[in-house]
Amino acid sequence: MPKLVASDIATALKKRISSGEWIENGRIPPERDLASEFGVARNTMRRAVSFLEDDGTVVRHVGRGTFLTATNPASMAAVVGRMEGTSPADMMEIRQLLEPAAASFAATNASAMELNAVREAHRIASESQDMPTFEHWDAEFHHRIFACSRNEFLKEIHNLMRILRNQAPWFEMKKRSFSEERRSIYCSEHQAVLDALLRRDPESASQAMLAHLKTVQRNLLGR
Amino acid sequence: MPKLVASDIATALKKRISSGEWIENGRIPPERDLASEFGVARNTMRRAVSFLEDDGTVVRHVGRGTFLTATNPASMAAVVGRMEGTSPADMMEIRQLLEPAAASFAATNASAMELNAVREAHRIASESQDMPTFEHWDAEFHHRIFACSRNEFLKEIHNLMRILRNQAPWFEMKKRSFSEERRSIYCSEHQAVLDALLRRDPESASQAMLAHLKTVQRNLLGR
DNA sequence: TTTATCTGATCCAATATTGAGCCATTAGTA
DNA sequence: TACTAATGGCTCAATATTGGATCAGATAAA
């Protein structure tokens, strides 16, 4: 059994906060109390609370206590929280807006080294033997295309989507929809995208990506 | 029974990871624990985990533990943190991808009541006397269009952009670029978008929105 | 046999937790 | 005002946890 460490405690605290605990006066219990409640040294609890402080969930005042912040970081976290609840259908719709554009940007902006990284991800995915490995390098292929889009904001949106796709409702869906035949279709579609990137052809990169995403959408959600 | 070798264990681990195990705080158990759980020597488990590390599925830190890369709690916060640092230019580029689509969706999906809300925001913005009031209802106009796009994920991305636009670099920029003449241009462009929405014309709603965003981009960032 | 792998064990280096104590600031009270 | 209790900020030494690395022997497959 792994030991309960500060980061674990931090996520436990976040869970309790987002479940509405302590919201009444916005104040969370003293470190000493929390420490004894969790059966952990005060120093460890301090580190845990520091995580919350770092991401803006909480502010601390000497002599007064530790308080939930009602401002920006919280609303940001709320957005992310609601995103976790959005449907795969909605996200696939947005992917079809963003990823073709990313591919188009990549075709014009990518360095040779970055394109090599894309090609490498494609190669490993093609040669992978089991589904989890394929999944991983499939995701990596898409990620690396965003990475050479030269738009930081776009990259971060994709990071968000990637994290969300690694959670609850997607798991089942991906597992259900996977098959050897579909894998090989995905590979050849990836190849088409890669070819367009290597030809530095933004328009066909975009089209190839869109075609691929439509296939994925069909497989994941039916038509 | 065939002997459990490192690569078998690696795929078993991957399966457990992709089934959602350990995603909660992104930490997987210590090698020693996993080894005893799988009934295997620690060296073997180390080799197994090394496969995951090569994959990029996981990163290891001496003294801390082994962590999932794709989905750990910190990575979500990190994404949001990095977004705060992205440039207005990058974000404007993405707005031009998303908002025309949102307008298009709105034209086909909005209810009459929702369109009234959009019109109302436009009216108050047009009649506003001072810049902060105009800013507020301008933002509200865009927000309400997203609100009737019927895509929850898209709405949340816009919420994110809205929060970011209320922070540091944007404030100065908006103040600098504001003028009475530009305000009236924005208003007539909004009017064009609104008209297209009321005509239930997705194509021209999209085009009108794109035209508007290009104006905003030019005013904010120069050409 | 040869080769590769697993086992069991030991030590090392990096990091975390513990438990204790003291300080500075704040709030409440006599 | 002055005192007290509560609270977060901080340090320190001792201990524990964890991944990194190596080695000799056992086992199994080519």
Side-chain angles (χ1 to χ4, degrees):
Chain A
M1 179 176 59
K3 198 162 172 49
L4 203 61
V5 291
S7 59
D8 298 303
I9 296 178
T11 61
L13 287 176
K14 273 186 204 164
K15 208 166 279 179
R16 281 173 64 166
I17 288 171
S18 67
S19 83
E21 186 120 28
W22 305 317
I23 209 165
E24 87 265 9
N25 53 4
R27 190 186 165 180
I28 78 178
E31 295 170 352
R32 289 172 175 85
D33 294 358
L34 286 174
S36 82
E37 181 190 335
F38 280 78
V40 91
R42 188 184 153 218
N43 269 340
T44 305
M45 182 53 73
R46 272 188 66 66
R47 278 172 39 81
V49 176
S50 295
F51 284 120
L52 304 197
E53 190 181 24
D54 290 344
D55 61 35
T57 308
V58 114
V59 285
R60 311 204 257 199
H61 298 288
V62 180
R64 299 182 50 218
T66 302
F67 302 83
L68 303 180
T69 58
T71 54
N72 264 332
S75 61
M76 205 80 113
V79 169
V80 172
R82 286 196 301 273
M83 274 186 177
E84 285 175 340
T86 62
S87 73
D90 283 358
M91 198 201 285
M92 283 306 301
E93 202 165 39
I94 304 311
R95 281 186 76 184
Q96 290 178 37
L97 253 39
L98 295 178
E99 293 215 38
S104 164
F105 293 162
T108 60
N109 296 327
S111 72
M113 212 175 68
E114 287 171 324
L115 286 186
N116 252 332
V118 175
R119 189 197 344 236
E120 192 62 8
H122 171 57
R123 189 185 60 77
I124 302 181
S126 305
E127 294 172 356
S128 69
Q129 299 299 323
D130 57 307
M131 141 138 180
T133 303
F134 173 74
E135 280 288 349
H136 179 264
W137 288 101
D138 175 14
E140 194 64 24
F141 175 80
H142 288 268
H143 178 66
R144 291 181 180 181
I145 290 176
F146 276 92
C148 38
S149 73
R150 291 283 183 285
N151 184 309
E152 296 302 318
F153 189 65
L154 183 56
K155 279 157 69 173
E156 295 309 333
I157 291 181
H158 181 248
N159 278 332
L160 249 165
M161 295 198 292
R162 202 184 180 193
I163 292 172
L164 295 173
R165 276 206 307 275
N166 273 321
Q167 292 180 353
W170 289 90
F171 274 134
E172 295 309 314
M173 202 171 297
K174 286 193 286 193
K175 216 182 309 182
R176 265 205 337 264
S177 77
F178 185 81
S179 76
E180 198 48 46
E181 184 202 353
R182 285 174 175 178
R183 200 195 75 149
S184 80
I185 293 177
Y186 288 177
C187 282
S188 67
E189 288 176 346
H190 282 187
Q191 184 71 56
V193 173
L194 179 60
D195 289 344
L197 291 180
L198 292 170
R199 286 199 317 274
R200 302 288 186 174
D201 181 345
E203 186 52 37
S204 49
S206 172
Q207 284 175 9
M209 181 61 88
L210 183 58
H212 172 53
L213 291 175
K214 284 194 180 302
T215 306
V216 174
Q217 185 182 42
R218 210 160 41 237
N219 288 343
L220 245 46
L221 308 168
R223 45 174 76 244
Chain B
M1 182 170 97
K3 188 170 249 181
L4 275 189
V5 291
S7 58
D8 296 325
I9 295 179
T11 60
L13 285 176
K14 275 186 208 164
K15 220 162 268 179
R16 279 176 63 166
I17 288 170
S18 68
S19 83
E21 186 118 28
W22 305 316
I23 54 169
E24 122 207 8
N25 56 11
R27 195 172 108 114
I28 79 177
E31 294 171 352
R32 288 171 175 87
D33 293 357
L34 287 175
S36 82
E37 181 189 334
F38 280 78
V40 89
R42 187 183 154 219
N43 269 340
T44 305
M45 183 53 73
R46 272 187 66 66
R47 281 173 33 82
V49 176
S50 295
F51 284 119
L52 303 198
E53 191 181 23
D54 294 342
D55 263 354
T57 308
V58 114
V59 286
R60 310 204 259 196
H61 298 288
V62 180
R64 303 211 300 134
T66 302
F67 300 83
L68 304 182
T69 52
T71 162
N72 65 51
S75 66
M76 198 80 114
V79 167
V80 172
R82 286 195 303 272
M83 274 187 177
E84 286 175 339
T86 60
S87 73
D90 283 358
M91 197 200 286
M92 283 306 302
E93 202 166 38
I94 303 312
R95 280 186 75 184
Q96 291 178 36
L97 251 39
L98 295 179
E99 292 214 37
S104 164
F105 293 161
T108 59
N109 296 326
S111 71
M113 213 176 68
E114 286 170 325
L115 286 186
N116 251 331
V118 175
R119 188 195 345 233
E120 193 61 9
H122 171 58
R123 189 184 60 76
I124 303 181
S126 304
E127 296 172 356
S128 70
Q129 299 300 322
D130 58 311
M131 143 141 179
T133 306
F134 173 73
E135 280 290 349
H136 178 265
W137 288 100
D138 176 13
E140 194 62 24
F141 174 79
H142 288 268
H143 178 67
R144 291 183 180 179
I145 290 175
F146 276 92
C148 39
S149 72
R150 292 284 183 284
N151 184 309
E152 295 301 318
F153 188 67
L154 184 57
K155 280 157 69 172
E156 295 308 332
I157 291 182
H158 182 248
N159 278 331
L160 215 61
M161 296 197 292
R162 206 183 178 193
I163 292 172
L164 294 174
R165 276 207 306 275
N166 273 323
Q167 291 180 353
W170 288 91
F171 237 68
E172 295 308 312
M173 200 173 300
K174 284 192 286 193
K175 215 184 303 181
R176 262 204 340 262
S177 77
F178 185 81
S179 77
E180 197 48 47
E181 183 201 354
R182 285 174 176 177
R183 200 196 75 152
S184 81
I185 294 178
Y186 288 177
C187 281
S188 66
E189 288 176 347
H190 282 188
Q191 184 70 54
V193 174
L194 179 59
D195 288 345
L197 291 181
L198 293 171
R199 287 199 318 274
R200 302 289 185 174
D201 179 345
E203 186 52 38
S204 48
S206 170
Q207 285 175 8
M209 181 61 89
L210 183 59
H212 172 51
L213 291 174
K214 284 194 179 302
T215 305
V216 173
Q217 184 182 42
R218 210 161 39 237
N219 288 343
L220 245 45
L221 307 168
R223 48 175 74 245

